[in-house]
């Protein structure tokens, strides 16, 4: 569950949005759309605790996140899978090791080797599992980032334009993955301006679309 | 225990998440090696100076001799001197060396039948001193009053300044060790801190996937501890070989004690272990502080 109460965000005094209140229930699937520069990435970073709201409150999994210490932030991050627009990796570790990183840092027994290769196979990266991230194309990086985000089956998945650099077929596969996770009860928030992707999702599961524009977030109309 | 286990063994990713090379790696290895090399010499000096000081000190305590020139009143003088010695702090006991003993002492040089009476040999009083010994100047004045021409000869008292010098040398060696240890700690803390700064992207990635500060700090600590251990081991071994090659043999004062003997070789092994311990602490502290500063 993600809850925003009267959240305002500004960079250096310039207000990006104000009075944003949202409730994304557990197990819901939301798209976040809006023109470039509207603040989609910023909103997602508020939800992944990478940014702090200027005012207002962000609640994750039913708990307020205002006064967390560093370990508590880390604990939240382990329950949130994040795919950035420009995802970064540990460049001297293989793609597979990068994908497994969330498990390594949480001292969890590494998942079954089969699970990892299944996941890598699903995002179409099995052939590059042993390569280093700098050797990947933009689309491959995004898929690796998605695999890393979901490897430990987080409660919340935040994806920032995850299909930005991949072809339509791959977009559909990534969408399948998100839908599959959503069916398992995960809360998904996905920023995109790919309307076809949204339509595709809508035809398969109940999704809601949020539009961010002119300093506010509204539910998008039925045209989407 | 699990913390230590995690730290030393770790999982493979945690072992490798900090890049294996980079200037901070060479800095850590080389400075650990150089400092271990110096530390071994400082330890060797410390041990040698300690031994020398003990040896000289042991020779100090012991006996002194008072020579009284023969005169008419020699027997009274001896009685007075013995009485005076009895009241002097720093003197354990005193006794006159009788003629037959003196004869025995001289026999090797002059044969058995020396006419002692004709030689007018001085009368000797053997004195046993405490460790600290008496106030020699005061005692000499006192003796001169009781028996003109009396000489208090305490053999090895001239070594007192040498013992002091040896003690001083040992303290300097100890201070050098402490300085070396601080330089190691500071160098490694700086190296770890700049490694952290140089690997900002890795730290960001680790944070994003939910790594706690401790996990990140351990990843860096493991690298730097192993580097310091390796470097210091090499440096200590080279220094140990160098020390072993110093020619030994006759009593050459401080030089004769510079080598390591028996259990002392363990001191050399302790150098890399201590360097690793220092690296461990320095990295943990430096990294934890830096991570906190980053916010
Ligand atoms: N760290 C930052 N400092 C200052 N301005 C920023 C920062 N990050 C984003 N912005 C500005 O905030 C606005 C929204 O950015 P962003 O959230 O990335 O939008 P979107 O993802 O919708 O394209 C943009 O105008 C961008 O320039
Ligand atoms: Mg964006």
């Amino acid at each position: 569950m993600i809850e925003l109460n009267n959240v305002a965000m500004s960079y250096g005094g310039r207000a990006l949005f104000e009075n944003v209140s949202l409730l994304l229930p557990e197990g819901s699937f939301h798209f976040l759309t809006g023109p470039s520069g509207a603040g989609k990435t910023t909103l997602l970073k508020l939800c992944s605790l990478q940014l702090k709201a200027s005012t207002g409150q962000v609640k994750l999994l039913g708990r307020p996140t205002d006064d967390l210490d560093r370990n508590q932030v880390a604990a939240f991050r382990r329950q949130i899978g994040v795919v950035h627009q420009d995802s970064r990796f540990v460049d001297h570790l293989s793609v597979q090791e990068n994908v497994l990183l969330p498990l390594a840092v949480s001292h969890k027994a590494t998942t079954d080797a089969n699970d990892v290769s299944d996941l890598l196979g699903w995002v179409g990266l099995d052939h590059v599992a042993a390569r280093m991230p700098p050797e990947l194309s933009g689309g491959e990086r995004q898929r690796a980032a998605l695999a890393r985000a979901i490897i430990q089956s987080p409660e919340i998945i935040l994806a920032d334009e995850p299909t930005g650099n991949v072809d339509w077929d791959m977009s559909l596969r990534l969408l399948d993955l998100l839908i599959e996770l959503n069916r398992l009860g995960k809360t998904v928030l996905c920023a995109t301006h790919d309307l076809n992707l949204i339509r595709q999702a809508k035809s398969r599961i109940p999704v809601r679309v949020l539009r961010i524009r002119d300093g506010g977030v509204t539910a998008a109309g039925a045209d989407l | 225990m699990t913390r230590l286990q995690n730290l030393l063994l770790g999982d493979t990713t945690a072992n490798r998440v900090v890049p294996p090379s980079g200037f901070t790696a060479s800095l850590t290895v080389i400075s650990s090696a150089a400092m271990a090399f110096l530390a071994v010499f400082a330890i060797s000096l410390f041990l040698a100076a300690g031994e020398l000081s003990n040896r000289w000190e042991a020779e100090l305590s012991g006996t002194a001799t008072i020579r009284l020139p023969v005169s008419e009143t020699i027997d009274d003088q001896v009685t007075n001197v013995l009485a005076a010695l009895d009241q002097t702090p720093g003197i354990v006991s005193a006794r006159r060396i009788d003629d037959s003993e003196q004869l025995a002492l001289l026999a090797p040089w002059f044969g058995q039948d020396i006419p002692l009476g004709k030689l007018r040999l001085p009368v000797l009083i053997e004195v046993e001193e405490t460790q600290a010994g008496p106030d020699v100047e005061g005692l000499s004045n006192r003796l001169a009053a009781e028996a003109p021409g009396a000489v208090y000869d305490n053999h090895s008292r001239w070594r007192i300044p040498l013992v002091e010098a040896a003690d001083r040398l040992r303290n300097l060696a100890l201070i050098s060790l402490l300085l070396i240890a601080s330089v190691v700690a500071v160098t490694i803390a700086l190296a770890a801190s700049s490694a952290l700064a140089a690997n900002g992207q890795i730290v960001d990635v680790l944070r994003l996937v939910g790594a706690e500060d401790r996990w990140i700090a351990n990843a860096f600590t493991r690298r730097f501890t192993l580097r310091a251990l390796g470097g210091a081991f090499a440096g200590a071994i080279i220094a140990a070989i160098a020390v072993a090659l110093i020619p030994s043999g006759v009593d050459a004062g401080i030089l004769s004690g510079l080598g390591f003997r028996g259990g002392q070789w363990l001191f050399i092994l302790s150098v890399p272990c201590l360097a690793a311990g220092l690296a461990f602490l320095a990295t943990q502290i430096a990294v934890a502080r830096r991570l906190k500063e980053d916010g």
Side-chain angles (χ1 to χ4, degrees):
Chain A
M1 189 182 73
I2 302 172
E3 193 179 339
L4 270 62
N5 291 319
N6 285 315
V7 167
M9 186 66 197
S10 53
Y11 286 114
R14 194 176 66 89
L16 192 55
F17 44 74
E18 282 175 315
N19 279 323
V20 173
S21 292
L22 291 174
L23 180 64
L24 315 190
E26 192 181 325
S28 64
F29 195 127
H30 283 80
F31 281 107
L32 179 63
T33 186
S36 182
K40 300 183 292 296
T41 297
T42 302
L43 192 71
L44 288 183
K45 283 187 172 171
L46 287 173
C47 297
S48 60
L49 306 180
Q50 286 174 277
L51 290 174
K52 224 170 150 55
S54 309
T55 59
Q57 188 186 49
V58 176
K59 279 171 118 180
L60 296 173
L61 306 167
R63 277 166 290 161
T65 61
D66 310 302
D67 296 310
L68 299 177
D69 68 27
R70 304 165 57 73
N71 285 342
Q72 289 168 321
V73 170
F76 265 113
R77 294 258 175 83
R78 293 198 290 273
Q79 300 181 69
I80 305 172
V82 183
V83 183
H84 280 298
Q85 261 175 303
D86 53 342
S87 282
R88 295 197 282 174
F89 298 91
V90 178
D91 286 342
H92 66 275
L93 295 183
S94 71
V95 169
Q96 174 157 333
E97 280 175 305
N98 269 282
V99 167
L100 286 170
L101 211 48
L103 296 174
V105 303
S106 50
H107 305 296
K108 277 191 189 152
T110 310
T111 6
D112 220 312
N114 285 330
D115 292 353
V116 187
S117 50
D118 277 357
L119 178 59
L120 288 173
W122 189 260
V123 296
L125 290 180
D126 35 2
H127 63 292
V128 293
R131 296 229 198 117
M132 301 294 147
E135 302 168 34
L136 300 188
S137 72
E140 286 168 332
R141 287 175 76 86
Q142 253 158 326
R143 286 180 274 153
L146 182 61
R148 181 178 69 187
I150 65 180
I151 185 87
Q152 51 170 348
S153 185
E155 288 308 310
I156 295 174
I157 293 149
L158 305 170
D160 199 354
E161 319 235 12
T163 60
N165 278 314
V166 300
D167 61 27
W168 179 241
D169 278 354
M170 186 48 75
S171 296
L172 289 182
R173 292 183 75 148
L174 296 184
L175 181 65
D176 279 351
L177 203 53
L178 291 176
I179 289 174
E180 203 53 47
L181 288 161
N182 179 243
R183 285 204 177 112
L184 291 171
K186 314 299 184 190
T187 310
V188 179
L189 176 58
C190 176
T192 186
H193 45 233
D194 185 343
L195 300 187
N196 285 330
L197 190 74
I198 297 177
R199 285 196 196 98
Q200 182 69 28
K202 270 193 150 179
S203 70
R204 297 175 53 192
I205 50 162
V207 301
R208 284 195 266 166
V209 182
L210 302 169
R211 191 193 298 274
I212 182 166
R213 175 194 249 163
D214 304 330
V217 178
T218 52
D223 55 314
L224 275 171
Chain B
M1 198 60 221
T2 41
R3 268 192 75 181
L4 190 70
Q5 224 166 12
N6 275 341
L7 186 84
L8 291 179
L9 307 172
D11 57 282
T12 46
T13 307
N15 281 334
R16 305 196 302 113
V17 78
V18 177
S21 54
F23 87 94
T24 58
S26 348
L27 177 66
T28 307
V29 172
I30 291 171
S31 63
S32 304
M35 290 299 150
F37 189 88
L38 296 179
V40 167
F41 278 112
I43 289 175
S44 146
L45 187 62
F46 176 80
L47 292 173
E51 252 169 49
L52 204 60
S53 156
N54 287 341
R55 204 171 73 216
W56 283 343
E57 188 133 23
E59 284 171 14
L60 273 187
S61 63
T63 57
T65 318
I66 297 171
R67 279 192 308 277
L68 305 178
V70 178
S71 67
E72 303 296 301
T73 56
I74 183 68
D75 287 334
D76 288 345
Q77 285 181 0
V78 168
T79 312
N80 291 342
V81 164
L82 286 175
L85 288 171
D86 197 35
Q87 288 158 24
T88 309
I91 303 290
V92 177
S93 65
R95 70 181 183 89
R96 177 175 183 166
I97 295 180
D98 60 38
D99 286 354
S100 59
E101 268 182 278
Q102 220 166 346
L103 203 64
L105 287 174
L106 294 174
W109 283 279
F110 302 108
Q112 286 298 336
D113 31 40
I114 317 158
L116 270 186
K118 285 183 188 157
L119 276 176
R120 289 179 62 85
L121 284 175
V123 170
L124 297 180
I125 294 177
E126 187 185 80
V127 175
E128 193 187 335
E129 296 178 336
T130 61
Q131 182 82 22
D135 163 23
V136 174
E137 208 174 318
L139 183 57
S140 297
N141 291 338
R142 185 92 188 272
L143 291 176
E146 301 293 350
V151 175
Y152 187 88
D153 178 2
N154 59 353
H155 315 304
S156 48
R157 284 283 153 186
W158 60 273
R159 286 194 166 171
I160 288 179
L162 287 186
V163 171
E164 270 170 18
D167 282 341
R168 200 70 62 83
L169 198 59
R170 188 174 57 169
N171 290 340
L172 286 178
L174 197 60
I175 292 172
S176 309
L177 277 173
L178 292 178
L179 288 177
I180 289 168
S182 344
V183 171
V184 168
V186 170
T187 310
I188 292 178
L190 287 175
S193 193
S194 58
L196 199 65
N199 292 298
Q201 169 164 334
I202 291 171
V203 174
D204 286 348
V205 169
L206 292 175
R207 283 213 171 126
L208 188 72
V209 299
E212 289 183 359
D213 283 0
R214 192 199 291 167
W215 194 94
I216 301 173
N218 282 353
F220 279 86
T221 303
R222 202 173 296 128
R223 277 274 195 235
F224 280 88
T225 303
L226 291 177
R227 285 169 189 168
L229 184 67
F233 189 76
I237 293 298
I238 294 171
I241 292 171
V243 169
L245 290 180
I246 295 176
S248 62
V250 281
D251 185 355
I254 190 85
L255 280 177
S256 63
L258 269 181
F260 291 92
R261 269 174 298 279
Q264 293 180 342
W265 286 100
L266 288 179
F267 280 107
I268 296 178
L269 283 185
S270 76
V271 167
C273 298
L274 286 176
L278 276 178
F280 173 87
L281 287 178
T283 317
Q284 286 271 327
I285 293 170
V287 172
R289 181 175 297 173
R290 182 124 199 170
L291 285 173
K292 233 167 242 157
E293 274 171 11
D294 289 353

